[in-house]
C-alpha cells in the first residue's frame, strides 16, 4: 500500500465465529445487535510473569489469577450495560494484546528464563500464556482469547525483527491465539506467495479447530 497504515483495516480470517471484538476481524451474525469487549492487556503479562521467578507452574496460575482479578470489574460494567440498554453482551476476548506504551512482550517472555523471543523456548512460553488465559473461569470468554504477537505493534518484537521469521510466527500460532498479526512483508511479494500463506493459516485454523487471522503489511 502507498500509505502502509491502510493495511491495518484489512485481514483474512479462518474459523473465527461472529462476535470477536478485535478489528478488523470483528463481524456480526446478522441477528440482533450485541457487543463484546477487547482489552489491551500486555501490561498484565509484564506484571505477572516476572513474579514467578522462572517457576512455570506458578507463572501459569499467577497469570490466570491476575487476569481474573483484572477482568471481573470489566465484566461487571458490561453486564450493567447489557441490562441498562437491553443489548446482549457476548463476553470478553481475553487475548493478550500489546499496547504501545506497555512493556514489550519480548521482555515478558525472557523473564521466565527460557531464552529470548525467537529462540528455543518461545513456543513453550506461547503455549503456557495461551493456556493461562483460556483457563479464566470467572468471566464470559469470546473471540480468540489467546496471545497476539504483532511485530508492528510491539516494540520488543519489532526490535528483534530478523531473529525470527514469518514461519516461526506461524508455528507459534499453532499454540497461541491469533495467527499472523501485523506482519511486514516485501511490497513486491507475489499474489501466489500470499495465497499460499493464507492457505497455511487456514489449514492450521481448521485442522486445530481454532480461530486464526492474517494481517500482512507492506
Amino acid at each position: 500500500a502507498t500509505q502502509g497504515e491502510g493495511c491495518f483495516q484489512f485481514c483474512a480470517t479462518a474459523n473465527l465465529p461472529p462476535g470477536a471484538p478485535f478489528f478488523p476481524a470483528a463481524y456480526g451474525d446478522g441477528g440482533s445487535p450485541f457487543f463484546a469487549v477487547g482489552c489491551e492487556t500486555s501490561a498484565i503479562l509484564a506484571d505477572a510473569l516476572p513474579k514467578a521467578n522462572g517457576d512455570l507452574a506458578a507463572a501459569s496460575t499467577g497469570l490466570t489469577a491476575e487476569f481474573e482479578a483484572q477482568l471481573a470489574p470489566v465484566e461487571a460494567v458490561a453486564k450493567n450495560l447489557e441490562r441498562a440498554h437491553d443489548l446482549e453482551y457476548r463476553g470478553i476476548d481475553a487475548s493478550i494484546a500489546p499496547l504501545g506504551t506497555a512493556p514489550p512482550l519480548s521482555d515478558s517472555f525472557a523473564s521466565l528464563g527460557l531464552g529470548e523471543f525467537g529462540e528455543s523456548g518461545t513456543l513453550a512460553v506461547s503455549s503456557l500464556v495461551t493456556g493461562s488465559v483460556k483457563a479464566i473461569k470467572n468471566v464470559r470468554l469470546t473471540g480468540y482469547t489467546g496471545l497476539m504477537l504483532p511485530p508492528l505493534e510491539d516494540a520488543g518484537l519489532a526490535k528483534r525483527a530478523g531473529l525470527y521469521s514469518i514461519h516461526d510466527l506461524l508455528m507459534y500460532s499453532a499454540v497461541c491465539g491469533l495467527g499472523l498479526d501485523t506482519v511486514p512483508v516485501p511490497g513486491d511479494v507475489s499474489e501466489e506467495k500470499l495465497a499460499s500463506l493464507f492457505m497455511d493459516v487456514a489449514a492450521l485454523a481448521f485442522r486445530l479447530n481454532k480461530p486464526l487471522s492474517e494481517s500482512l503489511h507492506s
Side-chain angles (χ1 to χ4, degrees):
T2 304
Q3 300 295 325
E5 295 86 352
C7 293
F8 284 91
Q9 301 178 49
F10 302 98
C11 74
T13 66
N15 208 25
L16 177 68
F22 284 103
F23 288 95
Y27 71 100
D29 55 14
S32 300
F34 62 88
F35 74 100
V37 177
C39 304
E40 293 177 319
T41 54
S42 58
I44 298 177
L45 189 70
D47 180 62
L49 292 192
K51 292 178 180 177
N53 295 315
D55 184 326
L56 300 186
S60 180
T61 56
L63 185 58
T64 300
E66 187 64 27
F67 262 89
E68 289 180 339
Q70 296 284 346
L71 294 181
V74 178
E75 172 136 298
V77 171
K79 288 183 175 179
N80 285 337
L81 291 172
E82 180 180 43
R83 289 189 292 268
H85 299 280
D86 193 25
L87 186 64
E88 181 188 1
Y89 159 61
R90 291 279 180 96
I92 297 175
D93 189 328
S95 292
I96 295 173
L99 177 66
T101 57
L105 288 172
S106 54
D107 289 356
S108 300
F109 272 55
S111 73
L112 288 179
L114 295 183
E116 300 292 332
F117 186 89
E119 298 176 346
S120 297
T122 302
L123 183 70
V125 176
S126 298
S127 180
L128 181 151
V129 169
T130 303
S132 300
V133 296
K134 289 189 178 297
I136 295 169
K137 300 297 184 185
N138 68 334
V139 301
R140 191 181 308 169
L141 297 176
T142 191
Y144 299 98
T145 300
L147 169 66
M148 298 184 180
L149 298 172
L152 293 181
E153 293 182 336
D154 182 84
L157 301 190
K159 185 177 180 180
R160 294 188 61 78
L163 300 175
Y164 58 92
S165 70
I166 194 169
H167 299 292
D168 290 324
L169 293 173
L170 186 59
M171 176 177 65
Y172 304 151
S173 72
V175 299
C176 63
L178 189 67
L180 300 177
D181 186 11
T182 68
V183 177
V185 297
D188 60 353
V189 64
S190 69
E191 292 183 12
E192 290 77 15
K193 283 187 176 296
L194 290 177
S196 296
L197 198 54
F198 292 156
M199 291 290 289
D200 285 345
V201 173
L204 272 180
F206 288 104
R207 179 64 180 84
L208 301 177
N209 191 27
K210 60 186 298 181
L212 293 175
S213 301
E214 188 169 19
S215 173
L216 305 179
H217 300 250
S218 62

